[in-house]
Amino acid sequence: MKFRSLLTICCLYTIATFGQTAIQVDLKNEKGPLKPIWAWFGYDEPNYTYMKDGKKLLSELAALSPVPVYVRAHNLMNTGDGEAALKWGSTNMYTEDANGNPVYNWRIVDSIFDTYINRKMKPLAQIGFMPEALSTHPTPYRHYWQPGHDYKEICTGWAYPPKDYNKWEELIYQWVKHCVARYGKAEVESWYWELWNEADGYYLMVDDKIPTYCKMYDYASAGVKRALPTARVGGPHATGGAGEFMRRFITHCLKEKNEATGQIGAPIDFLAFHAKGAPVFTNNRVRMGMNNQLKDVNRHLKIISSFPELKNIPIIIGESDPEGCAACGMKTDPQNAYRNGTMYSSYTAASIARIIELNDSYGTNIIGAVNWSFEFENQPWFYGFRELATNGVDKPVLNVFRMMGMMSGTRLAITGDVAYDAQSIMANGVRGDKTDVNALAAASKTATTILLWNYHDDDITTGASTVELTIQNMPGKKATLHHYRIDQEYSNSYEVWKKMGSPASPTPAQYTTLEKAGQLALLNAPEKIKITNGIYKLKINLPRQAVSLIKITYE
């Protein structure tokens, strides 16, 4: 572990410092509980779950969070042999015999859920997609999409509605019933069951998408509740732009005829939608589009909050990301070159804070924002996939989640001369002369934690800002300060890999070095500090794209 004195760091960055930002945190200026909306992850390829690097990464995700981590995966119901491929997976849970009778096989899906449960993680259990024997258009069934190909190639037999809704409902009933028997009623009650994914887009191949999805939801929710009446079920996991889809789904669940029961309405225990940014490659570099992601969040919160019957309903952003295709690497999609380094980590810190801000403005109840990033087995090192780790080595973005995992308690208001907020970013992005230097803070009985970032939409790493941090109304007189950092030098396996010469096959010794570089690092040795009249001040040099966590533990 490398440490430097504050004096050395100040000298190092003086020439490259652009501007100062004063940030104040007052422990008496409370905003409410800090909800761990970051403790949610997801991915397309469920069969990676129980593979070597998949298990390793899931263990790390479980370890970084003080609360159970929720995991969402596509393709849990697909027909197939369990072979993993990009944007594909299968469990073969449903086939039929020669007479058309159901054959249920839970072996593969159990191995997926067992991996979660053994780590005290919880499924955001996706009811999807359509087994081959139930699909209205089963041939061709599996896709063989590759990066650079037309995305529509994924739309094969799994993406169609059931040809027999009663068999569909019975399958779901049997699956939930099996889970209750295997994991226990109390455990399954803590999960969330969801129907499908982005039915308004490529994932449901019908013309009348909304009525078809609502009918599928009626039968799916009936199956879930028949197996476990206290289970939580919801949807629709619409794309960020599908505001009308969300509105009509809610209206159906509240006021329209249920196709499965014949009664009015359908159970709805939570709502889910997606929010994506829109990066572009311009002037020989990446320019991010956080404004698009926040507009997606804003659009759906506005619709949900317009239904008074749904006040305080849990909301899950089922995919919350800088763009839309995790398996599209930077060689085929150069705008995705941000993913290996500190652009992704600083974007993640800044965007999560603004999602919390929008949630405050509507008085809604976001409980999770699923980071749709995992890992890809047996792929080239740092290929530019949207992932948390490459070949078992953590990327800088994962350390943002480690930082947030240290934050708990009451969220605190941030004041100061900050340049951006959610509204200004939605209007113009983070593209002005100033970078976005801001914070997210929380306090518990034993510690105060402050997450700081220096973000800009343009992928430039030179330049820094001096943060003059003032913390007020602190308890006690003595404390210990830990300063964690992600930047070009700390908590950054990508920069270490490049300095090695970007080896395609690192040696065992190189792997050990990279693995260590991927962990969250302290900028300085822990420091004993004195608090005077409840006030502590700290001057921090924060490089562009850097993220810091200040953790002050009271004695």
Side-chain angles (χ1 to χ4, degrees), residues 362-381:
Y362 283 100
T364 44
N365 182 25
I366 294 177
I367 62 169
V370 178
N371 182 268
W372 200 258
S373 300
F374 190 53
E375 62 94 20
F376 293 85
E377 297 274 345
N378 303 314
Q379 296 292 334
W381 283 80

Short mmCIF file of all heavy atoms in Angstrom, two decimals, residues 362-381:
data_model
loop_
_atom_site.label_atom_id
_atom_site.label_comp_id
_atom_site.label_asym_id
_atom_site.label_seq_id
_atom_site.Cartn_x
_atom_site.Cartn_y
_atom_site.Cartn_z
N TYR A 362 -39.54 14.03 -6.00
CA TYR A 362 -40.88 13.50 -6.25
C TYR A 362 -41.49 12.86 -5.00
O TYR A 362 -42.68 12.50 -5.02
CB TYR A 362 -40.84 12.47 -7.38
CG TYR A 362 -40.75 13.10 -8.75
CD1 TYR A 362 -39.54 13.18 -9.43
CD2 TYR A 362 -41.87 13.63 -9.36
CE1 TYR A 362 -39.44 13.76 -10.69
CE2 TYR A 362 -41.80 14.21 -10.62
CZ TYR A 362 -40.58 14.27 -11.27
OH TYR A 362 -40.51 14.86 -12.51
N GLY A 363 -40.73 12.68 -3.96
CA GLY A 363 -41.24 12.01 -2.77
C GLY A 363 -41.56 10.55 -3.03
O GLY A 363 -42.44 9.97 -2.38
N THR A 364 -40.85 9.95 -3.99
CA THR A 364 -41.08 8.55 -4.34
C THR A 364 -40.15 7.64 -3.53
O THR A 364 -39.39 8.10 -2.68
CB THR A 364 -40.87 8.34 -5.85
OG1 THR A 364 -39.69 9.04 -6.28
CG2 THR A 364 -42.05 8.88 -6.63
N ASN A 365 -40.22 6.35 -3.81
CA ASN A 365 -39.57 5.36 -2.95
C ASN A 365 -38.70 4.42 -3.76
O ASN A 365 -38.99 3.23 -3.89
CB ASN A 365 -40.64 4.58 -2.17
CG ASN A 365 -40.03 3.57 -1.21
OD1 ASN A 365 -38.90 3.72 -0.75
ND2 ASN A 365 -40.79 2.51 -0.90
N ILE A 366 -37.62 4.96 -4.35
CA ILE A 366 -36.67 4.09 -5.05
C ILE A 366 -35.90 3.27 -4.02
O ILE A 366 -35.28 3.82 -3.10
CB ILE A 366 -35.68 4.92 -5.90
CG1 ILE A 366 -36.41 5.62 -7.04
CG2 ILE A 366 -34.59 4.02 -6.47
CD1 ILE A 366 -35.53 6.51 -7.90
N ILE A 367 -35.95 1.96 -4.17
CA ILE A 367 -35.24 1.08 -3.24
C ILE A 367 -34.01 0.44 -3.88
O ILE A 367 -33.16 -0.10 -3.17
CB ILE A 367 -36.16 -0.02 -2.68
CG1 ILE A 367 -36.68 -0.93 -3.80
CG2 ILE A 367 -37.32 0.59 -1.90
CD1 ILE A 367 -37.38 -2.18 -3.30
N GLY A 368 -33.93 0.46 -5.22
CA GLY A 368 -32.80 -0.17 -5.88
C GLY A 368 -32.55 0.44 -7.24
O GLY A 368 -33.50 0.80 -7.95
N ALA A 369 -31.28 0.55 -7.61
CA ALA A 369 -30.87 0.96 -8.94
C ALA A 369 -29.86 -0.08 -9.43
O ALA A 369 -28.70 -0.09 -9.01
CB ALA A 369 -30.25 2.35 -8.93
N VAL A 370 -30.31 -0.98 -10.28
CA VAL A 370 -29.51 -2.15 -10.67
C VAL A 370 -28.40 -1.72 -11.64
O VAL A 370 -28.68 -1.24 -12.74
CB VAL A 370 -30.39 -3.22 -11.33
CG1 VAL A 370 -29.54 -4.41 -11.78
CG2 VAL A 370 -31.49 -3.68 -10.38
N ASN A 371 -27.16 -1.92 -11.21
CA ASN A 371 -26.04 -1.70 -12.10
C ASN A 371 -25.89 -2.93 -12.98
O ASN A 371 -25.55 -4.01 -12.49
CB ASN A 371 -24.76 -1.47 -11.26
CG ASN A 371 -23.55 -1.19 -12.12
OD1 ASN A 371 -22.82 -2.11 -12.48
ND2 ASN A 371 -23.33 0.07 -12.45
N TRP A 372 -26.18 -2.75 -14.27
CA TRP A 372 -26.19 -3.91 -15.18
C TRP A 372 -24.76 -4.20 -15.65
O TRP A 372 -24.37 -3.95 -16.78
CB TRP A 372 -27.13 -3.66 -16.36
CG TRP A 372 -27.54 -4.93 -17.03
CD1 TRP A 372 -27.06 -5.45 -18.19
CD2 TRP A 372 -28.52 -5.89 -16.56
NE1 TRP A 372 -27.66 -6.65 -18.48
CE2 TRP A 372 -28.56 -6.94 -17.50
CE3 TRP A 372 -29.34 -5.94 -15.45
CZ2 TRP A 372 -29.41 -8.03 -17.34
CZ3 TRP A 372 -30.18 -7.03 -15.30
CH2 TRP A 372 -30.22 -8.05 -16.25
N SER A 373 -23.98 -4.70 -14.73
CA SER A 373 -22.58 -5.03 -14.98
C SER A 373 -22.22 -6.24 -14.15
O SER A 373 -22.54 -6.29 -12.96
CB SER A 373 -21.65 -3.87 -14.59
OG SER A 373 -21.93 -2.71 -15.31
N PHE A 374 -21.53 -7.18 -14.76
CA PHE A 374 -21.08 -8.35 -14.02
C PHE A 374 -19.67 -8.69 -14.51
O PHE A 374 -18.75 -7.91 -14.35
CB PHE A 374 -22.07 -9.49 -14.19
CG PHE A 374 -21.83 -10.66 -13.29
CD1 PHE A 374 -21.71 -10.48 -11.92
CD2 PHE A 374 -21.72 -11.95 -13.80
CE1 PHE A 374 -21.47 -11.56 -11.07
CE2 PHE A 374 -21.49 -13.04 -12.96
CZ PHE A 374 -21.37 -12.84 -11.60
N GLU A 375 -19.52 -9.84 -15.15
CA GLU A 375 -18.24 -10.23 -15.73
C GLU A 375 -18.52 -11.15 -16.91
O GLU A 375 -19.61 -11.69 -17.05
CB GLU A 375 -17.35 -10.91 -14.69
CG GLU A 375 -17.91 -12.20 -14.11
CD GLU A 375 -17.43 -13.44 -14.84
OE1 GLU A 375 -16.39 -13.37 -15.53
OE2 GLU A 375 -18.07 -14.50 -14.71
N PHE A 376 -17.52 -11.30 -17.79
CA PHE A 376 -17.65 -12.15 -18.96
C PHE A 376 -16.53 -13.18 -18.94
O PHE A 376 -15.34 -12.82 -18.97
CB PHE A 376 -17.59 -11.32 -20.25
CG PHE A 376 -18.77 -10.41 -20.42
CD1 PHE A 376 -18.78 -9.16 -19.83
CD2 PHE A 376 -19.88 -10.81 -21.15
CE1 PHE A 376 -19.87 -8.31 -19.97
CE2 PHE A 376 -20.97 -9.97 -21.29
CZ PHE A 376 -20.97 -8.72 -20.71
N GLU A 377 -16.89 -14.44 -18.85
CA GLU A 377 -15.89 -15.50 -18.74
C GLU A 377 -15.14 -15.69 -20.06
O GLU A 377 -15.72 -15.61 -21.15
CB GLU A 377 -16.58 -16.82 -18.36
CG GLU A 377 -17.27 -16.80 -17.01
CD GLU A 377 -16.34 -17.15 -15.86
OE1 GLU A 377 -15.23 -17.68 -16.11
OE2 GLU A 377 -16.73 -16.89 -14.70
N ASN A 378 -13.83 -15.94 -19.93
CA ASN A 378 -12.99 -16.33 -21.06
C ASN A 378 -13.01 -15.32 -22.20
O ASN A 378 -13.08 -15.69 -23.38
CB ASN A 378 -13.41 -17.72 -21.57
CG ASN A 378 -13.37 -18.78 -20.49
OD1 ASN A 378 -12.40 -18.86 -19.74
ND2 ASN A 378 -14.42 -19.58 -20.38
N GLN A 379 -12.94 -14.04 -21.84
CA GLN A 379 -12.88 -12.97 -22.83
C GLN A 379 -11.54 -12.23 -22.69
O GLN A 379 -10.87 -12.33 -21.66
CB GLN A 379 -14.04 -12.00 -22.62
CG GLN A 379 -15.41 -12.62 -22.84
CD GLN A 379 -15.67 -12.98 -24.29
OE1 GLN A 379 -15.09 -12.39 -25.20
NE2 GLN A 379 -16.54 -13.97 -24.51
N PRO A 380 -11.13 -11.48 -23.71
CA PRO A 380 -9.85 -10.76 -23.62
C PRO A 380 -9.82 -9.79 -22.45
O PRO A 380 -10.84 -9.24 -22.04
CB PRO A 380 -9.78 -10.01 -24.96
CG PRO A 380 -10.65 -10.80 -25.89
CD PRO A 380 -11.77 -11.33 -25.04
N TRP A 381 -8.64 -9.56 -21.93
CA TRP A 381 -8.45 -8.64 -20.82
C TRP A 381 -8.83 -7.22 -21.23
O TRP A 381 -8.44 -6.75 -22.30
CB TRP A 381 -7.00 -8.65 -20.35
CG TRP A 381 -6.65 -9.86 -19.52
CD1 TRP A 381 -6.35 -11.12 -19.98
CD2 TRP A 381 -6.55 -9.91 -18.10
NE1 TRP A 381 -6.08 -11.95 -18.92
CE2 TRP A 381 -6.19 -11.24 -17.75
CE3 TRP A 381 -6.71 -8.98 -17.08
CZ2 TRP A 381 -6.00 -11.65 -16.44
CZ3 TRP A 381 -6.52 -9.38 -15.77
CH2 TRP A 381 -6.17 -10.70 -15.46
#
